[in-house]
Amino acid sequence: MVRLKIQGGISLHGEVEISGAKNAALPIMAACLLTRERVQLHGVPRTTDVDMMVQVLQHLGMETNWVEAHTLVLRVVDDRGHTVPADCIEAMRASVCALGPLLARRGAGHLSKPGGCRIGARPIDAHLKGLRALGAKIVETDTTVTGSARELIGSEVDMSVPSGSTVLGTANVLSAAVLARGRTTIEHAAREPEICELAGFLNSMGAFIHGIGTGRLVIDGVRELHGTSFDIIPDRIETGTYLVAGAITGGDVLVRDAHPEHLGAVLQVLTSMGVELTEEAGGVRVRGNERFRRTDIVTESYPGFPTDMQAQVMALMCLAQGTSTVTERIFPERFKHVAELRRMGARIQSDGARVEITGVEDLAGVEVTASDLRASAALVLAGLAARGTTMVNEVEYIHRGYERIAEKLRGLGAAITEVA
Ligand code: EPU
């Protein structure tokens, strides 16, 4: 069990560099299955989810080499495999985005069905509906999905789900449609920056995708894609997390390589809470305040407030004046951090997918247990601000999406150490 020990109450100062976006890197890496040529990816974050995708791809006959700290070279050396290993799917649901590329390039794909996870039910019905619309034959059992396709054919596909659009569903269908015969139109495509990044990557391999950044992607299929060299954008959620770290500790932090244009809703919420944010040449500077103002957030598909920043902003709400609310529209059960924040002295009332947070003067350092990636981040943020020592147990989740988080926070002056 990995634990983080945090001595709270220290203002963070200095500069922190943001790593590449995990949620862009994962579908982009899977899309490397679409060519036999060499692909070089720059700005790949060194997180455990990326390691897991490397394992998936190696299993599927890909050679992978880290040629620099964040530069990964990938090349298919054996294209006979069709099966995404069950343990990989179980460990990381994003392994599912190998299915579209496998169908498009190898004519078959097999995986065990990802179940729900700690942030709630996570079906893949929309992925499968989209791939079927392209002509793939998909056979489902209770536990497995097997797809086959002699040829994919361009079609009209709709990626809407009750909460908006599915992100990895769009990634899967987009990564299949690029090699389909004729034109595919994806309606209600996810507009997240990570999907734009995937589309830009596919175009750099020779695909024809139009409408990037809109809810309607038009793809003219090509027979083959070629190798490429591509830079991955900085991680907007890691950026947002460090902005909250600066704010919650009343510090002064320059978050380098931040792309504020990807963080509109988050910056708006932080500003409304009284966090001072300034855009500078190298990134975004955050300065914290004595006490923050209450606010309300509702998580939505991009460009709405991201569910992946909900827990971290809730940590800040715990210390704001007045009662804030959080309504979770993407994953209504994504509140595992609530019980742990309460143990630190937070006043939080939950009512299904809506939570009320009444700010307190301070939080107390205690022993808490992490339950998923963003919940872990929220507990670390609360610990940085709390009185005394916070011990975050089972914090290995945090390494799925944050590269060297303890080291980066120490660089800003935090007293945080990993203990076994
Ligand atoms: N949904 C369906 N049917 C589907 C797919 C999704 O009903 O076939 C529903 C889900 O139950 C959920 C909503 O649609 O209510 C949105 O889920 P989505 O498919 O967009 O999520 P995802 O693609 O599986 C990605 C990110 C998540 C992030 C969500 C939402 C990656 C690798 N994962 O997941 O990231 O929370 O989009 O923005 O890109 C994280 O980084 O901490 C993380 C969980």
Side-chain angles (χ1 to χ4, degrees):
M1 175 169 89
V2 185
R3 311 197 295 164
L4 280 175
K5 186 176 173 188
I6 306 162
Q7 181 62 47
I10 300 172
S11 290
L12 301 188
H13 290 271
E15 298 185 4
V16 62
E17 212 159 299
I18 295 305
S19 302
K22 167 194 74 109
N23 289 349
L26 297 175
I28 285 177
M29 288 167 70
C32 294
L33 289 165
L34 290 166
T35 179
R36 279 205 79 138
E37 292 183 20
R38 180 180 185 274
V39 178
Q40 182 153 358
L41 299 177
H42 303 277
V44 184
R46 302 304 292 264
T47 65
T48 52
D49 271 6
V50 163
D51 293 341
M52 184 55 67
M53 186 57 87
V54 164
Q55 267 190 46
V56 170
L57 297 176
Q58 286 174 345
H59 182 88
L60 290 168
M62 200 174 263
E63 198 176 75
T64 61
N65 281 308
W66 290 100
V67 292
E68 280 174 44
H70 297 101
T71 302
L72 182 63
V73 171
L74 307 103
R75 198 167 65 89
V76 171
V77 287
D78 177 353
D79 58 9
R80 286 168 302 175
H82 299 125
T83 301
V84 181
D87 52 339
C88 294
I89 286 275
E90 203 173 304
M92 184 181 72
R93 299 184 76 273
S95 312
V96 74
C97 56
L99 184 60
L102 282 176
L103 283 170
R105 176 76 196 169
R106 302 187 186 178
H110 177 77
L111 41 90
S112 49
K113 254 185 196 164
C117 77
R118 283 165 184 265
I119 65 177
R122 298 181 70 183
I124 57 164
D125 54 303
H127 299 228
L128 302 184
K129 191 172 130 220
L131 294 170
R132 281 188 177 114
L134 297 179
K137 184 170 172 239
I138 309 264
V139 179
E140 290 180 77
T141 68
D142 285 348
T143 54
T144 61
V145 175
T146 304
S148 57
R150 280 171 66 95
E151 180 187 41
L152 294 176
I153 296 167
S155 176
E156 302 247 318
V157 184
D158 188 322
M159 294 319 297
S160 55
V161 290
S163 59
S165 301
T166 158
V167 175
L168 288 181
T170 303
N172 236 336
V173 172
L174 179 60
S175 305
V178 287
L179 287 184
R181 180 154 55 86
R183 174 168 281 198
T184 298
T185 308
I186 306 184
E187 301 288 354
H188 298 108
R191 289 183 288 161
E192 270 68 5
E194 293 77 16
I195 292 298
C196 301
E197 195 70 354
L198 170 65
F201 169 73
L202 291 167
N203 279 351
S204 80
M205 296 172 92
F208 283 105
I209 304 168
H210 314 272
I212 298 174
T214 72
R216 184 168 192 267
L217 293 173
V218 179
I219 303 116
D220 286 315
V222 293
R223 288 180 66 85
E224 272 191 350
L225 294 176
H226 53 71
T228 186
S229 174
F230 192 80
D231 280 300
I232 291 172
I233 42 165
D235 195 301
R236 65 192 164 106
I237 305 301
E238 189 191 18
T239 302
T241 304
Y242 283 100
L243 291 177
V244 175
I248 205 166
T249 62
D252 182 342
V253 172
L254 177 65
V255 183
R256 294 195 74 83
D257 297 331
H259 279 213
E261 71 276 18
H262 296 157
L263 276 159
V266 172
L267 299 185
Q268 208 178 336
V269 163
L270 293 179
T271 305
S272 77
M273 294 183 80
V275 176
E276 200 184 314
L277 297 169
T278 34
E279 284 184 34
E280 295 185 8
V284 177
R285 182 172 296 281
V286 58
R287 289 193 188 87
N289 264 322
E290 282 292 287
R291 197 79 202 269
F292 302 101
R293 292 190 288 270
R294 61 158 303 283
T295 194
D296 303 308
I297 60 174
V298 179
T299 63
E300 286 169 333
S301 290
Y302 190 83
F305 189 92
T307 172
D308 294 343
M309 275 301 297
Q310 178 256 107
Q312 300 90 313
V313 169
M314 190 187 294
L316 194 59
M317 290 169 160
C318 291
L319 292 165
Q321 273 165 340
T323 299
S324 302
T325 66
V326 169
T327 307
E328 180 51 77
R329 291 238 172 101
I330 308 290
F331 297 114
E333 296 162 39
R334 195 179 199 175
F335 286 122
K336 296 274 192 301
H337 42 289
V338 165
E340 302 305 293
L341 289 170
R342 278 195 194 121
R343 289 162 48 74
M344 299 179 76
R347 283 180 55 199
I348 308 179
Q349 283 202 319
S350 29
D351 179 10
R354 186 172 179 280
V355 165
E356 278 187 8
I357 306 103
T358 302
V360 293
E361 287 282 326
D362 55 13
L363 295 171
V366 293
E367 196 163 324
V368 288
T369 301
S371 53
D372 67 67
L373 166 57
R374 308 302 172 187
S376 310
L379 297 178
V380 168
L381 292 169
L384 290 171
R387 242 179 318 113
T389 305
T390 299
M391 184 71 89
V392 188
N393 295 329
E394 294 182 31
V395 81
E396 48 271 24
Y397 296 106
I398 212 161
H399 300 303
R400 297 185 62 162
Y402 293 91
E403 177 176 334
R404 295 179 291 108
I405 186 164
E407 188 186 319
K408 287 190 186 186
L409 286 170
R410 275 197 299 275
L412 296 172
I416 176 168
T417 44
E418 296 210 2
V419 287

